[in-house]
Protein backbone atom coordinates (compact mmCIF):
# COMPACT_ATOMS: atom_id res chain seq x y z
CA UNK A 1 0.00 0.00 0.00
CA UNK A 2 1.35 3.40 -0.98
CA UNK A 3 1.83 6.24 1.48
CA UNK A 4 1.49 9.68 -0.08
CA UNK A 5 2.35 13.28 0.76
CA UNK A 6 -0.15 16.13 0.44
CA UNK A 7 1.56 17.31 -2.74
CA UNK A 8 1.46 13.84 -4.28
CA UNK A 9 -2.22 13.53 -3.35
CA UNK A 10 -2.99 16.90 -4.95
CA UNK A 11 -1.22 15.86 -8.15
CA UNK A 12 -3.13 12.56 -8.28
CA UNK A 13 -6.38 14.35 -7.51
CA UNK A 14 -5.78 16.96 -10.23
CA UNK A 15 -4.93 14.35 -12.86
CA UNK A 16 -8.03 12.33 -12.03
CA UNK A 17 -10.17 15.39 -12.51
CA UNK A 18 -8.40 16.91 -15.53
CA UNK A 19 -7.16 13.91 -17.46
CA UNK A 20 -10.03 11.49 -16.88
CA UNK A 21 -12.77 14.05 -16.41
CA UNK A 22 -14.02 12.56 -13.16
CA UNK A 23 -15.65 15.56 -11.46
CA UNK A 24 -14.46 16.71 -8.04
CA UNK A 25 -18.07 16.40 -6.84
CA UNK A 26 -18.02 12.67 -7.54
CA UNK A 27 -14.81 12.16 -5.61
CA UNK A 28 -16.26 14.18 -2.75
CA UNK A 29 -19.47 12.17 -2.83
CA UNK A 30 -17.53 8.92 -2.63
CA UNK A 31 -15.33 10.31 0.12
CA UNK A 32 -18.20 11.52 2.29
CA UNK A 33 -20.16 8.31 1.84
CA UNK A 34 -17.12 6.22 2.80
CA UNK A 35 -16.68 8.25 5.97
CA UNK A 36 -20.38 7.83 6.83
CA UNK A 37 -20.09 4.07 6.40
CA UNK A 38 -17.05 3.92 8.65
CA UNK A 39 -18.75 6.14 11.22
CA UNK A 40 -21.78 3.84 11.26
CA UNK A 41 -19.48 0.85 11.66
CA UNK A 42 -17.86 2.67 14.55
CA UNK A 43 -21.19 3.34 16.25
CA UNK A 44 -22.20 -0.26 15.57
CA UNK A 45 -19.06 -1.49 17.28
CA UNK A 46 -20.06 0.64 20.27
CA UNK A 47 -23.41 -1.20 20.27
CA UNK A 48 -25.32 1.85 19.06
CA UNK A 49 -25.99 1.42 15.33
CA UNK A 50 -28.01 4.35 14.05
CA UNK A 51 -29.11 5.38 17.56
CA UNK A 52 -26.27 7.87 17.57
CA UNK A 53 -25.99 11.62 17.35
CA UNK A 54 -23.14 12.86 15.18
CA UNK A 55 -21.81 16.37 15.05
CA UNK A 56 -19.87 17.12 11.88
CA UNK A 57 -17.16 19.72 12.42
CA UNK A 58 -16.72 21.34 9.01
CA UNK A 59 -13.89 23.54 7.80
CA UNK A 60 -14.13 25.79 4.78
CA UNK A 61 -12.08 23.60 2.39
CA UNK A 62 -12.85 20.37 0.61
CA UNK A 63 -12.28 18.41 3.81
CA UNK A 64 -15.31 20.26 5.13
CA UNK A 65 -17.15 19.41 1.91
CA UNK A 66 -16.47 15.72 2.54
CA UNK A 67 -17.89 16.21 6.02
CA UNK A 68 -21.12 17.66 4.64
CA UNK A 69 -21.58 14.70 2.27
CA UNK A 70 -20.97 12.44 5.26
CA UNK A 71 -23.62 14.32 7.26
CA UNK A 72 -26.16 13.76 4.47
CA UNK A 73 -25.47 10.03 4.32
CA UNK A 74 -25.53 9.60 8.10
CA UNK A 75 -28.91 11.31 8.08
CA UNK A 76 -30.15 8.93 5.40
CA UNK A 77 -28.95 6.02 7.51
CA UNK A 78 -31.23 7.23 10.28
CA UNK A 79 -28.68 8.87 12.58
CA UNK A 80 -29.17 12.21 14.27
CA UNK A 81 -26.82 14.70 12.59
CA UNK A 82 -25.89 18.34 12.95
CA UNK A 83 -23.11 20.46 11.49
CA UNK A 84 -20.83 22.87 13.28
CA UNK A 85 -19.05 25.12 10.80
CA UNK A 86 -15.68 26.36 12.04
CA UNK A 87 -16.16 29.66 10.27
CA UNK A 88 -18.81 31.25 8.10
CA UNK A 89 -19.99 28.77 5.46
CA UNK A 90 -20.14 31.73 3.05
CA UNK A 91 -16.39 31.27 2.67
CA UNK A 92 -16.77 27.82 1.12
CA UNK A 93 -16.16 27.52 -2.61
CA UNK A 94 -16.65 25.08 -5.47
CA UNK A 95 -17.58 21.51 -4.63
CA UNK A 96 -17.66 22.27 -0.90
CA UNK A 97 -20.09 25.18 -1.41
CA UNK A 98 -22.32 22.88 -3.44
CA UNK A 99 -22.51 20.50 -0.48
CA UNK A 100 -23.16 23.38 1.91
CA UNK A 101 -26.20 24.36 -0.16
CA UNK A 102 -27.50 20.79 -0.39
CA UNK A 103 -27.15 20.34 3.37
CA UNK A 104 -29.02 23.60 3.96
CA UNK A 105 -31.84 22.65 1.61
CA UNK A 106 -32.16 19.29 3.38
CA UNK A 107 -32.56 21.15 6.62
CA UNK A 108 -29.58 19.58 8.38
CA UNK A 109 -29.22 21.69 11.53
CA UNK A 110 -26.11 23.86 11.47
CA UNK A 111 -24.35 26.39 13.67
CA UNK A 112 -21.22 28.46 13.21
CA UNK A 113 -18.51 28.07 15.83
CA UNK A 114 -16.96 31.47 15.60
CA UNK A 115 -18.42 34.36 13.79
CA UNK A 116 -16.82 37.34 15.49
CA UNK A 117 -18.54 39.77 13.15
CA UNK A 118 -21.88 38.40 14.41
CA UNK A 119 -20.71 38.48 18.02
CA UNK A 120 -19.84 34.75 17.99
CA UNK A 121 -18.22 33.51 21.17
CA UNK A 122 -15.84 30.59 20.95
CA UNK A 123 -15.88 30.10 24.72
CA UNK A 124 -19.53 28.96 24.67
CA UNK A 125 -19.58 25.54 26.29
CA UNK A 126 -22.66 24.06 24.65
CA UNK A 127 -21.30 23.18 21.23
CA UNK A 128 -21.31 19.45 21.74
CA UNK A 129 -24.50 19.07 23.79
CA UNK A 130 -26.60 16.10 22.82
CA UNK A 131 -24.12 14.46 20.47
CA UNK A 132 -22.41 11.11 20.89
CA UNK A 133 -19.54 11.43 18.45
CA UNK A 134 -17.73 13.86 16.20
CA UNK A 135 -16.75 13.78 12.54
CA UNK A 136 -13.57 15.81 12.13
CA UNK A 137 -13.86 17.48 8.73
CA UNK A 138 -12.00 20.65 9.71
CA UNK A 139 -8.65 20.47 7.98
CA UNK A 140 -7.31 18.02 5.43
CA UNK A 141 -4.37 17.85 3.10
CA UNK A 142 -4.79 21.50 2.09
CA UNK A 143 -3.83 22.75 5.53
CA UNK A 144 -0.34 23.89 6.41
CA UNK A 145 1.30 24.72 9.72
CA UNK A 146 -0.36 25.12 13.10
CA UNK A 147 -4.15 25.44 12.85
CA UNK A 148 -5.14 29.09 12.97
CA UNK A 149 -8.14 30.49 14.83
CA UNK A 150 -10.91 29.61 15.06
CA UNK A 151 -9.73 26.11 14.10
CA UNK A 152 -7.28 25.81 17.00
CA UNK A 153 -9.95 26.62 19.60
CA UNK A 154 -12.50 24.29 18.02
CA UNK A 155 -9.97 21.45 17.91
CA UNK A 156 -9.05 22.03 21.55
CA UNK A 157 -12.72 22.07 22.55
CA UNK A 158 -13.33 18.86 20.60
CA UNK A 159 -10.40 17.12 22.32
CA UNK A 160 -11.60 18.38 25.72
CA UNK A 161 -15.11 17.03 25.09
CA UNK A 162 -13.75 13.47 25.24
CA UNK A 163 -16.20 12.45 22.51
CA UNK A 164 -15.09 9.74 20.06
CA UNK A 165 -13.90 11.19 16.77
CA UNK A 166 -13.85 9.78 13.26
CA UNK A 167 -11.41 11.91 11.24
CA UNK A 168 -11.83 12.65 7.54
CA UNK A 169 -8.57 11.97 5.68
CA UNK A 170 -6.28 13.14 8.52
CA UNK A 171 -6.90 14.30 12.09
CA UNK A 172 -6.97 18.11 11.95
CA UNK A 173 -3.70 19.52 13.28
CA UNK A 174 -1.61 16.62 11.99
CA UNK A 175 1.12 17.20 9.41
CA UNK A 176 0.10 14.83 6.61
CA UNK A 177 3.68 14.46 5.38
CA UNK A 178 5.66 13.92 8.57
CA UNK A 179 3.28 12.85 11.36
CA UNK A 180 4.23 15.88 13.46
CA UNK A 181 1.28 17.21 15.48
CA UNK A 182 0.34 20.79 16.29
CA UNK A 183 -0.44 21.88 19.84
CA UNK A 184 -4.10 21.65 18.84
CA UNK A 185 -4.59 18.29 17.17
CA UNK A 186 -7.57 15.97 16.99
CA UNK A 187 -7.21 12.55 18.62
CA UNK A 188 -9.29 10.21 16.51
CA UNK A 189 -10.53 6.72 17.26
CA UNK A 190 -10.33 6.11 13.56
CA UNK A 191 -9.26 8.00 10.46
CA UNK A 192 -10.76 7.35 7.05
CA UNK A 193 -7.90 8.01 4.63
CA UNK A 194 -9.25 8.95 1.22
CA UNK A 195 -7.77 7.16 -1.78
CA UNK A 196 -4.35 6.65 -0.12
CA UNK A 197 -3.01 6.78 3.41
CA UNK A 198 -0.99 9.91 4.01
CA UNK A 199 2.54 9.35 5.34
CA UNK A 200 1.85 11.20 8.58
CA UNK A 201 -0.82 8.70 9.58
CA UNK A 202 1.91 6.09 9.95
CA UNK A 203 4.60 8.06 11.76
CA UNK A 204 4.50 9.02 15.43
CA UNK A 205 3.25 11.12 17.09
CA UNK A 206 0.69 11.38 14.28
CA UNK A 207 0.02 7.65 14.26
CA UNK A 208 -1.23 7.80 17.85
CA UNK A 209 -3.61 10.65 16.91
CA UNK A 210 -4.93 8.83 13.85
CA UNK A 211 -6.17 5.75 15.72
CA UNK A 212 -7.25 2.97 13.40
CA UNK A 213 -6.50 3.98 9.81
CA UNK A 214 -8.96 2.78 7.18
CA UNK A 215 -8.17 3.53 3.54
CA UNK A 216 -11.21 3.89 1.26
CA UNK A 217 -11.26 4.22 -2.49
CA UNK A 218 -13.08 7.27 -3.82
CA UNK A 219 -12.98 6.75 -7.59
CA UNK A 220 -9.36 7.57 -8.37
CA UNK A 221 -8.29 5.00 -10.97
CA UNK A 222 -6.04 2.20 -9.75
CA UNK A 223 -2.34 2.69 -10.37
CA UNK A 224 -2.41 6.49 -10.21
CA UNK A 225 -0.02 6.65 -7.24
CA UNK A 226 2.52 4.57 -9.11
CA UNK A 227 2.08 6.78 -12.16
CA UNK A 228 2.67 9.84 -10.01
CA UNK A 229 5.99 8.36 -8.88
CA UNK A 230 4.97 7.58 -5.30
CA UNK A 231 7.65 5.32 -3.83
CA UNK A 232 6.85 5.13 -0.13
CA UNK A 233 4.99 2.04 1.03
CA UNK A 234 3.56 0.49 4.13
CA UNK A 235 5.64 -2.58 5.02
CA UNK A 236 3.58 -5.75 5.38
CA UNK A 237 3.42 -9.22 3.83
CA UNK A 238 1.43 -7.83 0.86
CA UNK A 239 3.92 -5.11 0.00
CA UNK A 240 6.88 -7.48 0.43
CA UNK A 241 5.25 -9.55 -2.29
CA UNK A 242 3.90 -6.77 -4.49
CA UNK A 243 6.82 -4.33 -4.33
CA UNK A 244 9.80 -6.63 -3.73
CA UNK A 245 8.58 -9.99 -5.02
CA UNK A 246 9.33 -11.70 -1.68
CA UNK A 247 7.04 -14.35 -0.23
CA UNK A 248 6.68 -14.70 3.51
CA UNK A 249 8.09 -17.09 4.60
CA UNK A 250 10.92 -17.32 2.07
CA UNK A 251 10.89 -20.53 0.07
CA UNK A 252 13.40 -23.24 0.95
CA UNK A 253 13.89 -25.82 -1.75
CA UNK A 254 14.01 -29.49 -0.93
CA UNK A 255 17.18 -29.98 -2.94
CA UNK A 256 19.32 -27.63 -0.84
CA UNK A 257 22.09 -27.80 1.74
CA UNK A 258 23.67 -25.45 4.26
CA UNK A 259 25.79 -23.91 1.54
CA UNK A 260 22.63 -22.76 -0.20
CA UNK A 261 21.70 -20.37 2.62
CA UNK A 262 24.88 -18.44 3.09
CA UNK A 263 27.57 -18.04 5.71
CA UNK A 264 27.37 -15.00 7.96
CA UNK A 265 30.25 -13.64 10.01
CA UNK A 266 29.13 -11.74 13.11
CA UNK A 267 31.81 -9.41 14.50
CA UNK A 268 30.14 -8.26 17.67
CA UNK A 269 30.38 -8.42 21.44
CA UNK A 270 33.29 -7.76 23.76
CA UNK A 271 34.37 -8.77 27.28
CA UNK A 272 31.39 -7.30 29.16
CA UNK A 273 28.99 -7.28 26.20
CA UNK A 274 29.40 -10.75 24.76
CA UNK A 275 25.63 -11.22 24.86
CA UNK A 276 25.18 -8.71 22.03
CA UNK A 277 27.29 -10.88 19.73
CA UNK A 278 25.57 -14.05 20.84
CA UNK A 279 22.10 -12.58 20.23
CA UNK A 280 23.07 -11.39 16.75
CA UNK A 281 24.61 -14.73 15.86
CA UNK A 282 21.65 -16.72 17.20
CA UNK A 283 19.23 -14.44 15.34
CA UNK A 284 21.17 -15.03 12.12
CA UNK A 285 20.82 -18.78 12.64
CA UNK A 286 17.11 -18.53 13.39
CA UNK A 287 16.68 -16.34 10.31
CA UNK A 288 17.85 -19.22 8.19
CA UNK A 289 21.57 -18.84 7.53
CA UNK A 290 23.30 -22.06 6.53
CA UNK A 291 26.35 -21.24 8.66
CA UNK A 292 27.04 -18.58 11.26
CA UNK A 293 30.49 -17.72 12.57
CA UNK A 294 31.06 -15.45 15.53
CA UNK A 295 34.30 -13.49 15.23
CA UNK A 296 36.16 -12.59 18.41
CA UNK A 297 39.61 -11.22 19.24
CA UNK A 298 41.72 -14.37 19.62
CA UNK A 299 42.42 -14.05 23.35
CA UNK A 300 38.69 -13.65 24.11
CA UNK A 301 37.49 -16.55 21.99
CA UNK A 302 38.28 -19.48 24.33
CA UNK A 303 36.06 -18.03 27.05
CA UNK A 304 33.06 -18.18 24.72
CA UNK A 305 33.38 -21.83 23.79
CA UNK A 306 30.30 -23.95 24.23
CA UNK A 307 27.79 -21.09 24.55
CA UNK A 308 25.85 -22.10 21.47
CA UNK A 309 26.71 -25.38 19.79
CA UNK A 310 25.37 -24.31 16.36
CA UNK A 311 27.60 -21.24 16.16
CA UNK A 312 31.23 -21.49 15.00
CA UNK A 313 33.76 -19.32 16.80
CA UNK A 314 36.25 -17.45 14.64
CA UNK A 315 39.30 -16.25 16.57
CA UNK A 316 40.89 -13.22 14.90
CA UNK A 317 44.51 -12.47 15.75
CA UNK A 318 44.98 -9.81 18.43
CA UNK A 319 47.94 -8.92 20.63
CA UNK A 320 46.86 -11.01 23.55
CA UNK A 321 44.34 -8.84 25.42
CA UNK A 322 41.17 -10.04 23.72
CA UNK A 323 40.20 -6.49 22.72
CA UNK A 324 38.91 -5.35 19.35
CA UNK A 325 41.28 -2.39 19.42
CA UNK A 326 44.14 -4.83 18.91
CA UNK A 327 42.59 -6.58 15.93
CA UNK A 328 43.94 -5.17 12.67
CA UNK A 329 41.19 -4.38 10.16
CA UNK A 330 42.95 -6.46 7.52
CA UNK A 331 42.83 -9.51 9.82
CA UNK A 332 39.07 -9.15 10.32
CA UNK A 333 38.58 -8.49 6.59
CA UNK A 334 40.48 -11.71 5.93
CA UNK A 335 38.13 -13.56 8.28
CA UNK A 336 35.18 -12.07 6.41
CA UNK A 337 36.56 -13.03 3.01
CA UNK A 338 34.95 -16.46 3.13
CA UNK A 339 31.59 -15.14 4.34
CA UNK A 340 28.54 -14.10 2.33
CA UNK A 341 27.74 -11.24 4.72
CA UNK A 342 29.28 -9.45 7.68
CA UNK A 343 27.42 -8.09 10.71
CA UNK A 344 29.49 -5.57 12.62
CA UNK A 345 29.01 -3.42 15.67
CA UNK A 346 26.73 -4.69 18.47
CA UNK A 347 28.53 -4.62 21.82
CA UNK A 348 31.95 -3.96 20.24
CA UNK A 349 32.85 -0.96 22.38
CA UNK A 350 34.79 2.11 21.27
CA UNK A 351 38.47 3.00 21.20
CA UNK A 352 40.83 5.71 20.02
CA UNK A 353 40.99 5.75 16.23
CA UNK A 354 38.08 3.36 15.76
CA UNK A 355 36.56 5.46 12.94
CA UNK A 356 39.59 5.02 10.70
CA UNK A 357 39.71 1.36 11.75
CA UNK A 358 36.13 0.80 10.61
CA UNK A 359 36.59 2.68 7.36
CA UNK A 360 39.64 0.59 6.53
CA UNK A 361 37.70 -2.58 7.33
CA UNK A 362 34.62 -1.65 5.28
CA UNK A 363 36.72 -0.72 2.28
CA UNK A 364 38.39 -4.14 2.35
CA UNK A 365 35.32 -6.32 2.83
CA UNK A 366 33.84 -7.49 -0.47
CA UNK A 367 30.67 -8.97 1.05
CA UNK A 368 27.47 -7.08 1.98
CA UNK A 369 27.77 -5.55 5.45
CA UNK A 370 25.25 -4.75 8.15
CA UNK A 371 26.55 -1.90 10.34
CA UNK A 372 24.95 -1.41 13.75
CA UNK A 373 25.41 0.09 17.22
CA UNK A 374 29.02 0.99 18.18
CA UNK A 375 30.11 0.73 14.56
CA UNK A 376 27.53 3.39 13.65
CA UNK A 377 28.99 5.74 16.23
CA UNK A 378 32.45 5.07 14.80
CA UNK A 379 31.12 6.13 11.41
CA UNK A 380 29.44 9.19 12.88
CA UNK A 381 32.81 10.31 14.21
CA UNK A 382 34.86 9.46 11.15
CA UNK A 383 32.61 9.79 8.13
CA UNK A 384 30.05 12.50 8.82
CA UNK A 385 31.07 14.53 5.77
CA UNK A 386 29.50 13.70 2.40
CA UNK A 387 31.98 11.62 0.42
CA UNK A 388 33.75 10.53 3.58
CA UNK A 389 31.83 7.29 3.73
CA UNK A 390 33.84 4.18 2.97
CA UNK A 391 33.94 3.47 -0.76
CA UNK A 392 32.39 0.06 -1.23
CA UNK A 393 31.14 -1.98 -4.16
CA UNK A 394 29.00 -4.36 -2.10
CA UNK A 395 25.83 -3.20 -0.35
CA UNK A 396 25.84 -1.60 3.09
CA UNK A 397 22.85 -1.56 5.43
CA UNK A 398 22.86 0.61 8.55
CA UNK A 399 20.41 0.17 11.44
CA UNK A 400 20.52 3.30 13.61
CA UNK A 401 18.08 4.04 16.43
CA UNK A 402 17.13 7.73 16.65
CA UNK A 403 20.11 8.59 18.88
CA UNK A 404 22.56 6.99 16.46
CA UNK A 405 20.81 8.59 13.49
CA UNK A 406 21.09 11.98 15.17
CA UNK A 407 24.86 11.49 15.55
CA UNK A 408 25.22 10.27 11.97
CA UNK A 409 23.29 13.22 10.54
CA UNK A 410 24.64 15.84 12.96
CA UNK A 411 21.17 16.61 14.33
CA UNK A 412 19.40 16.50 17.68
CA UNK A 413 17.10 13.56 18.40
CA UNK A 414 13.91 15.69 18.11
CA UNK A 415 15.15 16.96 14.73
CA UNK A 416 15.74 13.37 13.69
CA UNK A 417 12.22 12.38 14.68
CA UNK A 418 10.50 15.33 12.99
CA UNK A 419 10.48 13.78 9.51
CA UNK A 420 11.83 10.26 9.80
CA UNK A 421 10.92 9.19 6.29
CA UNK A 422 12.46 12.28 4.70
CA UNK A 423 15.62 12.02 6.76
CA UNK A 424 16.18 8.29 6.21
CA UNK A 425 15.59 8.65 2.48
CA UNK A 426 17.87 11.67 2.23
CA UNK A 427 20.68 9.98 4.16
CA UNK A 428 20.37 6.81 2.08
CA UNK A 429 20.61 8.72 -1.19
CA UNK A 430 23.47 10.91 -0.01
CA UNK A 431 25.68 8.07 1.19
CA UNK A 432 24.56 5.20 -1.04
CA UNK A 433 23.54 3.00 1.91
CA UNK A 434 20.27 1.36 2.87
CA UNK A 435 18.99 2.96 6.07
CA UNK A 436 16.86 1.24 8.72
CA UNK A 437 15.76 4.04 11.05
CA UNK A 438 14.51 2.13 14.08
CA UNK A 439 11.81 3.08 16.58
CA UNK A 440 8.03 2.66 16.48
CA UNK A 441 7.11 2.39 12.76
CA UNK A 442 10.67 1.71 11.62
CA UNK A 443 11.55 3.31 8.28
CA UNK A 444 13.55 1.43 5.66
CA UNK A 445 15.01 3.66 2.94
CA UNK A 446 16.98 2.67 -0.13
CA UNK A 447 19.48 4.90 -1.98
CA UNK A 448 17.21 4.62 -5.06
CA UNK A 449 14.48 6.57 -3.24
CA UNK A 450 12.13 3.76 -2.27
CA UNK A 451 11.04 3.69 1.38
CA UNK A 452 8.94 1.38 3.55
CA UNK A 453 7.24 2.08 6.88
CA UNK A 454 6.86 -0.97 9.12
CA UNK A 455 3.58 -2.16 10.55
CA UNK A 456 4.77 -4.88 12.95
CA UNK A 457 6.27 -4.64 16.42
CA UNK A 458 5.19 -3.47 19.85
CA UNK A 459 6.49 -1.46 22.82
CA UNK A 460 7.62 -4.66 24.54
CA UNK A 461 10.46 -4.70 22.00
CA UNK A 462 11.98 -1.62 23.60
CA UNK A 463 14.41 -3.86 25.45
CA UNK A 464 18.18 -4.41 25.43
CA UNK A 465 19.32 -6.74 22.67
CA UNK A 466 16.30 -6.34 20.38
CA UNK A 467 18.48 -4.33 17.99
CA UNK A 468 21.25 -6.95 18.11
CA UNK A 469 18.68 -9.51 17.04
CA UNK A 470 17.57 -7.31 14.12
CA UNK A 471 21.19 -6.89 13.00
CA UNK A 472 21.61 -10.66 12.93
CA UNK A 473 18.37 -11.19 11.00
CA UNK A 474 19.19 -8.65 8.29
CA UNK A 475 22.77 -9.91 8.10
CA UNK A 476 21.45 -13.42 7.64
CA UNK A 477 19.14 -12.35 4.81
CA UNK A 478 21.99 -10.50 3.08
CA UNK A 479 24.02 -13.71 3.33
CA UNK A 480 21.12 -15.65 1.81
CA UNK A 481 21.35 -13.48 -1.27
CA UNK A 482 18.63 -10.87 -0.76
CA UNK A 483 19.68 -7.42 -1.93
CA UNK A 484 20.08 -4.63 0.63
CA UNK A 485 16.54 -3.23 0.42
CA UNK A 486 14.97 -6.69 0.35
CA UNK A 487 16.99 -7.88 3.35
CA UNK A 488 16.33 -4.72 5.34
CA UNK A 489 12.58 -4.61 4.64
CA UNK A 490 12.04 -8.33 5.10
CA UNK A 491 14.17 -8.40 8.25
CA UNK A 492 12.40 -5.43 9.84
CA UNK A 493 8.97 -6.89 9.13
CA UNK A 494 9.91 -10.35 10.42
CA UNK A 495 11.63 -9.02 13.54
CA UNK A 496 8.49 -7.05 14.45
CA UNK A 497 6.23 -9.98 13.71
CA UNK A 498 8.33 -12.25 15.91
CA UNK A 499 8.14 -9.60 18.62
CA UNK A 500 4.36 -9.51 18.28
CA UNK A 501 4.12 -13.31 18.51
CA UNK A 502 6.44 -13.39 21.51
CA UNK A 503 4.53 -10.59 23.25
CA UNK A 504 1.21 -12.34 22.65
CA UNK A 505 2.50 -15.46 24.36
CA UNK A 506 3.33 -13.58 27.58
CA UNK A 507 0.94 -12.08 30.15
CA UNK A 508 2.21 -8.63 29.22
CA UNK A 509 4.46 -7.15 26.57
CA UNK A 510 6.69 -5.52 29.19
CA UNK A 511 8.19 -8.90 30.10
CA UNK A 512 9.43 -9.53 26.56
CA UNK A 513 13.21 -9.94 26.27
CA UNK A 514 15.37 -10.04 23.15
CA UNK A 515 15.95 -13.79 23.35
CA UNK A 516 12.16 -14.29 23.11
CA UNK A 517 12.17 -12.42 19.80
CA UNK A 518 14.95 -14.63 18.46
CA UNK A 519 13.14 -17.79 19.54
CA UNK A 520 9.86 -16.53 18.01
CA UNK A 521 11.41 -16.12 14.57
N1 LIG B 1 -7.55 13.84 -2.57
C1 LIG B 1 -8.67 13.83 -3.23
O1 LIG B 1 -8.75 13.32 -4.30
C2 LIG B 1 -9.83 14.38 -2.67
C3 LIG B 1 -9.74 15.08 -1.48
N2 LIG B 1 -10.79 15.62 -0.91
C4 LIG B 1 -10.70 16.26 0.37
O2 LIG B 1 -10.09 17.50 0.20
C5 LIG B 1 -9.17 17.73 1.22
C6 LIG B 1 -8.21 18.78 0.80
O3 LIG B 1 -9.00 19.91 0.52
P1 LIG B 1 -8.47 21.40 0.40
O4 LIG B 1 -9.62 22.23 0.07
O5 LIG B 1 -7.31 21.40 -0.48
O6 LIG B 1 -7.94 21.71 1.84
P2 LIG B 1 -8.57 21.51 3.29
O7 LIG B 1 -9.95 21.07 3.29
O8 LIG B 1 -7.57 20.73 4.02
O9 LIG B 1 -8.70 22.96 3.85
C7 LIG B 1 -7.73 23.82 3.96
C8 LIG B 1 -8.44 25.15 4.14
O10 LIG B 1 -8.03 25.69 5.31
C9 LIG B 1 -7.17 26.80 5.05
N3 LIG B 1 -5.98 26.54 5.86
C10 LIG B 1 -4.78 26.11 5.44
N4 LIG B 1 -3.96 25.99 6.47
C11 LIG B 1 -4.65 26.35 7.57
C12 LIG B 1 -4.31 26.44 8.94
N5 LIG B 1 -3.09 26.13 9.39
N6 LIG B 1 -5.25 26.85 9.81
C13 LIG B 1 -6.48 27.16 9.38
N7 LIG B 1 -6.85 27.11 8.07
C14 LIG B 1 -5.94 26.70 7.19
C15 LIG B 1 -6.91 26.82 3.58
O11 LIG B 1 -6.87 28.12 3.16
C16 LIG B 1 -8.08 26.04 3.04
O12 LIG B 1 -9.15 26.89 2.77
C17 LIG B 1 -8.63 16.37 1.48
O13 LIG B 1 -8.00 16.24 2.72
C18 LIG B 1 -9.88 15.53 1.38
O14 LIG B 1 -10.57 15.52 2.62
C19 LIG B 1 -12.01 15.60 -1.76
O15 LIG B 1 -13.13 15.99 -1.23
C20 LIG B 1 -12.16 14.29 -2.45
C21 LIG B 1 -11.08 14.18 -3.41
K1 LIG C 1 -9.79 16.24 9.09
Amino acid sequence: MELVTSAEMRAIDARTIEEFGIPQAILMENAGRAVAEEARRHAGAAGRGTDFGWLVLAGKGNNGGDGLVCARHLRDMGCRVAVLYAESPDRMQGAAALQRDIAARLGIPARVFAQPELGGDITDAGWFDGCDGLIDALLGTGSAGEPREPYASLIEAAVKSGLPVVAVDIPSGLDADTGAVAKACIRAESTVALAYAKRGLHQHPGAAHAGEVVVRRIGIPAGEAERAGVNTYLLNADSLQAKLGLSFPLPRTEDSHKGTYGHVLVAAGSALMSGAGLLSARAALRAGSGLVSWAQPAAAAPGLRGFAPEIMLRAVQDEGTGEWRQVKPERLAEAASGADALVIGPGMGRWEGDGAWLRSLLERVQAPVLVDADALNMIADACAQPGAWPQRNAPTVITPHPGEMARLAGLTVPQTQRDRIGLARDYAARHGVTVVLKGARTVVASPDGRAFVNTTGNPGMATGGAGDALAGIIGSLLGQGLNALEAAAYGVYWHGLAGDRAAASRPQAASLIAGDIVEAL
Side-chain angles (χ1 to χ4, degrees), residues 401-413 416 423:
H401 58 55
E404 289 157 349
M405 188 74 229
R407 265 167 284 185
L408 283 168
L411 300 170
T412 63
V413 173
T416 299
L423 177 64

Side-chain angles (χ1 to χ4, degrees), residues 9-10 12-14 17 24 27-29 31 59-66 87 137-149 151 168-170 194-195 198 218 220:
M9 193 66 241
R10 267 195 296 282
I12 294 167
D13 194 16
I17 295 167
Q24 170 79 33
L27 300 178
M28 189 173 277
E29 185 67 24
K60 80 166 159 73
N62 288 330
N63 196 252
D66 296 347
E87 54 186 308
L138 290 169
L139 298 169
T141 52
S143 69
E146 297 266 330
R148 294 186 294 270
E149 290 298 352
Y151 291 86
V168 181
D169 213 15
I170 54 171
L194 302 171
K198 315 303 171 291
I218 59 171
I220 290 174

Side-chain angles (χ1 to χ4, degrees), residues 479-512:
Q480 291 176 56
L482 271 61
N483 70 33
L485 177 60
E486 292 167 352
Y490 195 97
V492 163
Y493 172 75
W494 192 7
H495 177 252
L497 194 64
D500 289 343
R501 293 252 170 90
S505 71
R506 308 197 71 82
Q508 52 174 303
S511 67
L512 192 71

Side-chain angles (χ1 to χ4, degrees), residues 135-351:
I135 305 290
D136 163 29
L138 290 169
L139 298 169
T141 52
S143 69
E146 297 266 330
R148 294 186 294 270
E149 290 298 352
Y151 291 86
S153 293
L154 181 46
I155 290 168
E156 274 168 3
V159 172
K160 220 170 121 200
S161 76
L163 290 164
V165 182
V166 174
V168 181
D169 213 15
I170 54 171
S172 300
L174 180 142
D175 185 317
D177 296 351
T178 66
V181 296
K183 200 166 132 278
C185 182
I186 290 290
R187 246 180 201 281
E189 304 241 323
S190 64
T191 296
V192 185
L194 302 171
Y196 299 99
K198 315 303 171 291
R199 282 188 199 173
L201 298 174
H202 288 288
Q203 285 289 281
H204 285 291
H209 284 254
E212 183 198 2
V213 176
V214 183
V215 182
R216 292 289 303 255
R217 306 207 59 167
I218 59 171
I220 290 174
E224 282 304 293
E226 199 176 355
R227 250 184 96 202
V230 172
N231 57 359
T232 307
Y233 313 99
L234 211 55
L235 177 52
N236 53 33
D238 287 346
S239 62
L240 282 173
Q241 180 71 64
K243 302 299 170 191
L244 298 175
L246 296 171
S247 61
F248 190 89
L250 290 171
R252 236 167 141 95
T253 52
E254 198 170 322
D255 180 24
S256 61
H257 52 89
K258 66 191 178 207
T260 314
Y261 302 106
H263 181 184
V264 178
L265 184 73
V266 176
S270 52
L272 299 177
M273 299 273 274
S274 59
L278 191 55
L279 274 166
S280 284
R282 277 195 73 78
L285 271 175
R286 286 279 184 222
S289 289
L291 290 169
V292 176
S293 292
W294 183 13
Q296 281 296 299
L304 300 171
R305 260 188 223 134
F307 266 104
E310 304 89 345
I311 296 167
M312 299 182 288
L313 274 173
R314 177 70 195 247
V316 193
Q317 189 189 324
D318 59 10
E319 286 161 28
T321 62
E323 296 172 304
W324 282 111
R325 72 175 70 225
Q326 290 189 338
V327 172
K328 290 203 167 65
E330 47 270 43
R331 292 285 93 76
L332 183 52
E334 228 169 75
S337 65
D340 299 296
L342 171 68
V343 173
I344 185 150
M348 259 193 145
R350 300 286 313 268
W351 60 92

